[in-house]
């Protein structure tokens, strides 16, 4: 019977990026990754942005190993270890403490390979997708089906929100042990079919101040952040859930912009101050406001995370015109045909009035490319063995 045991147990999953419309910034417990406020996000479609992770276990492996985008990394990273430990703990609990002979031995070493189809630290929420994917693959490998958003949270706070598709709330929770700090789906990705997202990639650079370090400085020094967490966010969260439920783009868009602006105001209120928005980000913000003013209502809404890339929400019938506005405002340097990626975008003619009112000072080459996407589902299991990132030898 032992000989029949496969040398290698393997599982592969994909997981999505999410973009917060009510921002998470600040931990009340840095070990357990418990936030000072609840947050709300939109899960992006994996056809455009995803992490793929393969986890394999074998009695023949001599040590745990990890590869990110083909390069071996430190598997001893405390957050990777926290996820491994938690999933193994759940597996043990599920087996009632006894070693189930049919189940994968928890003492086997593990190999993990992970790949993004987008630049890693460019402010595209790669840690959220990465840890959600890691936890999904490990859970699959060990046969665990519990509440996994709590485990993903231990890798990266925002990762808990990538455990679901559509519109997702990360509840702050009250308990010191964090058992009630988890993600819940507010509405599935099918709920608002017309909603579209444009990611304006302005730079593939690493950000100046990492989120982990930045947010703790904010917690320690910003009185505005304390007010935001205690007073502003609870009310905004309820409003945002209502706008989503009612598919009210006007309300959704305005609130997303206000919350993004307040998050960046708390960064400025941090001491020393943190600057994630660049001159170009501010140019994009002004452009969005001019465009909306020209139309007399909110047709596009921006949100920026801890980095310079802009994320723009719009309804499908606005995309072609606004992409043309972006093309005129940031004429592509060289990649004219590759400037817009992802979902197809129709062509649009712009009136002279619109161009005069909205396209004020073009900045050639300032936006590297635009990714057109939409809300999508949570982590997916990959059944096709040819898609595994690790070979039969357990190596990439």
């Amino acid at each position: 019977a032992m000989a029949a045991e496969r040398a290698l147990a393997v599982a592969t999953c994909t997981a999505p990026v999410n973009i917060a419309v009510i921002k998470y910034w600040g931990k009340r417990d840095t070990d357990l990754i418990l936030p000072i406020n609840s947050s709300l996000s939109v899960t992006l479609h994996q056809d455009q942005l995803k992490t793929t992770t393969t986890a394999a276990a074998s009695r023949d492996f001599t040590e745990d190993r990890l590869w990110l985008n083909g390069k071996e990394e430190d598997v001893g990273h405390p957050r990777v270890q926290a996820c491994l430990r938690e999933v193994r703990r759940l597996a043990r609990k599920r087996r009632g403490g006894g070693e189930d002979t049919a189940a994968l031995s928890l003492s086997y070493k593990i190999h993990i390979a992970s790949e993004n189809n987008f630049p890693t630290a460019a402010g595209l929420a790669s840690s959220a997708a990465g840890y959600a994917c890691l936890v999904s693959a490990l859970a699959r490998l060990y046969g665990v089906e519990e509440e996994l958003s709590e485990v993903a949270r231990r890798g990266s706070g925002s990762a808990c929100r990538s455990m679901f598709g559509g519109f997702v709330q990360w509840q702050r929770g009250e308990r010191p042990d964090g058992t009630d700090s988890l993600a819940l789906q507010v509405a599935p990705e099918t709920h608002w079919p017309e909603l579209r997202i444009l990611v304006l990639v302005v730079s593939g650079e690493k950000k100046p101040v990492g989120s982990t370090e930045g947010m703790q400085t904010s917690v320690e020094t910003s009185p505005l952040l304390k007010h935001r967490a205690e007073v502003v966010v609870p009310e905004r969260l309820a409003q945002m859930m209502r706008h989503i439920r009612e598919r009210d783009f006007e309300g959704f868009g305005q609130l997303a912009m206000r919350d993004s602006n307040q998050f960046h105001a708390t960064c400025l209120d941090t001491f020393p101050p943190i600057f994630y928005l660049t001159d170009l980000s501010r140019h994009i913000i002004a452009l969005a406001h001019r465009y909306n003013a020209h139309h007399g209502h909110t047709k596009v809404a921006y949100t920026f995370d801890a980095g310079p890339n802009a994320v723009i929400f719009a309804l499908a019938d606005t995309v072609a015109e606004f992409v043309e506005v972006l093309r005129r405002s940031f004429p592509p340097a060289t990649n004219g045909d590759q400037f817009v990626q992802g979902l197809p975008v129709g062509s649009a003619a712009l009136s002279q009035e619109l161009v005069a009112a909205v396209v004020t000072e073009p900045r050639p080459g300032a936006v590297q490319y635009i990714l057109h996407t939409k809300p999508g589902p949570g982590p997916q299991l990959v059944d096709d063995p040819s898609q595994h990132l690790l070979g039969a030898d357990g190596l990439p």
Side-chain angles (χ1 to χ4, degrees):
M2 284 306 289
E5 185 185 23
R6 271 194 314 138
L8 195 68
V10 60
T12 299
C13 289
T14 63
V17 165
N18 71 76
I19 298 292
V21 288
I22 300 292
K23 303 295 190 189
Y24 150 57
W25 194 250
K27 299 177 181 70
R28 65 179 195 272
D29 184 314
T30 51
D31 266 349
L32 293 173
I33 309 193
L34 302 180
I36 59 171
N37 62 267
S38 297
S39 54
L40 203 152
S41 60
V42 182
T43 298
L44 305 188
H45 204 287
Q46 294 175 57
D47 284 355
Q48 282 75 47
L49 294 169
K50 69 168 183 234
T51 296
T52 305
T53 302
T54 298
S58 165
R59 59 194 304 179
D60 303 329
F61 293 166
T62 54
E63 55 177 354
D64 291 338
R65 295 177 73 182
L66 168 71
W67 292 265
L68 291 186
N69 293 314
K71 187 166 153 280
E72 187 151 12
E73 301 282 345
D74 173 25
V75 75
H77 191 293
R79 292 182 172 201
V80 174
Q81 288 301 313
C83 293
L84 258 169
R85 196 169 54 243
E86 286 299 297
V87 174
R88 283 170 169 154
R89 184 182 63 78
L90 288 173
R92 216 169 270 120
K93 188 169 121 192
R94 201 182 171 90
R95 296 168 191 188
E99 185 70 17
D100 173 0
T101 46
L104 183 62
S105 170
L106 291 170
S107 60
Y108 287 178
K109 299 296 182 190
I110 195 155
H111 287 187
I112 300 157
S114 190
E115 258 174 30
N116 297 333
N117 65 354
F118 58 93
T120 306
L124 285 179
S126 56
S127 68
Y131 282 106
C133 206
L134 173 66
V135 168
S136 301
L138 290 174
R140 185 69 198 192
L141 191 64
Y142 288 116
V144 171
E145 285 159 27
E146 268 76 359
E147 163 50 59
L148 294 171
S149 79
E150 209 192 318
V151 182
R153 191 198 74 227
R154 301 292 304 272
S156 175
S158 53
C160 71
R161 299 189 309 241
S162 277
M163 296 304 286
F164 296 96
F167 303 83
V168 185
Q169 180 190 359
W170 174 11
Q171 282 190 312
R172 175 189 184 275
E174 297 300 327
R175 299 184 199 135
D177 68 356
T179 48
D180 58 348
S181 185
L182 30 93
L184 303 165
Q185 189 180 66
V186 172
E189 63 274 16
T190 50
H191 168 71
W192 199 343
E194 303 79 23
L195 192 64
R196 295 290 179 274
I197 297 116
L198 297 168
V199 182
L200 277 54
V201 178
V202 304
S203 108
E205 308 300 296
K206 241 180 147 65
K207 47 200 177 201
V209 182
S211 312
T212 303
E213 166 198 3
M215 69 174 70
Q216 282 328 100
T217 311
S218 297
V219 167
E220 287 154 20
T221 62
S222 168
L224 178 57
L225 182 62
K226 184 175 157 53
H227 174 73
R228 166 178 168 73
E230 292 172 5
V231 180
V232 183
V233 168
E235 188 184 344
R236 283 187 174 176
L237 201 77
Q239 288 174 321
M240 189 60 98
M241 299 211 314
R242 192 177 71 241
H243 296 321
I244 289 167
R245 239 193 333 273
E246 296 171 359
R247 294 185 280 268
D248 168 9
F249 188 81
E250 183 73 31
F252 172 87
Q254 282 211 26
L255 193 51
M257 292 188 282
R258 285 178 180 271
D259 205 69
S260 175
N261 293 343
Q262 188 180 77
F263 155 54
H264 288 282
T266 66
C267 291
L268 200 53
D269 191 48
T270 299
F271 199 84
I274 305 168
F275 310 103
Y276 288 120
L277 298 180
T278 62
D279 184 43
L280 177 57
S281 316
R282 290 187 281 270
H283 189 72
I284 292 166
I285 289 171
L287 175 70
H289 285 286
R290 285 196 304 271
Y291 182 79
N292 288 337
H294 174 78
H295 282 292
H297 62 113
T298 305
K299 281 175 72 76
V300 298
Y302 53 80
T303 186
F304 293 80
D305 284 327
N309 294 327
V311 174
I312 307 276
F313 289 96
L315 297 178
D317 60 11
T318 302
V319 169
E321 183 181 79
F322 191 66
V323 165
E324 187 54 34
V325 166
L326 290 171
R327 216 184 248 287
R328 304 256 190 126
S329 303
F330 309 105
T334 46
N335 61 340
D337 52 333
Q338 286 291 293
F339 186 57
V340 183
Q341 301 175 20
L343 298 171
V345 174
S347 55
L350 306 183
S351 71
Q352 311 244 232
E353 298 80 35
L354 190 150
V355 174
V358 176
V359 183
T360 49
E361 30 172 340
R363 302 196 179 190
V367 172
Q368 288 185 13
Y369 63 94
I370 299 169
L371 185 65
H372 181 208
T373 184
K374 63 181 185 180
Q380 307 283 304
L381 177 69
V382 178
D383 276 322
D384 174 3
S386 74
Q387 300 294 300
H388 293 323
L389 303 180
L390 294 169
D393 58 357
L395 299 173

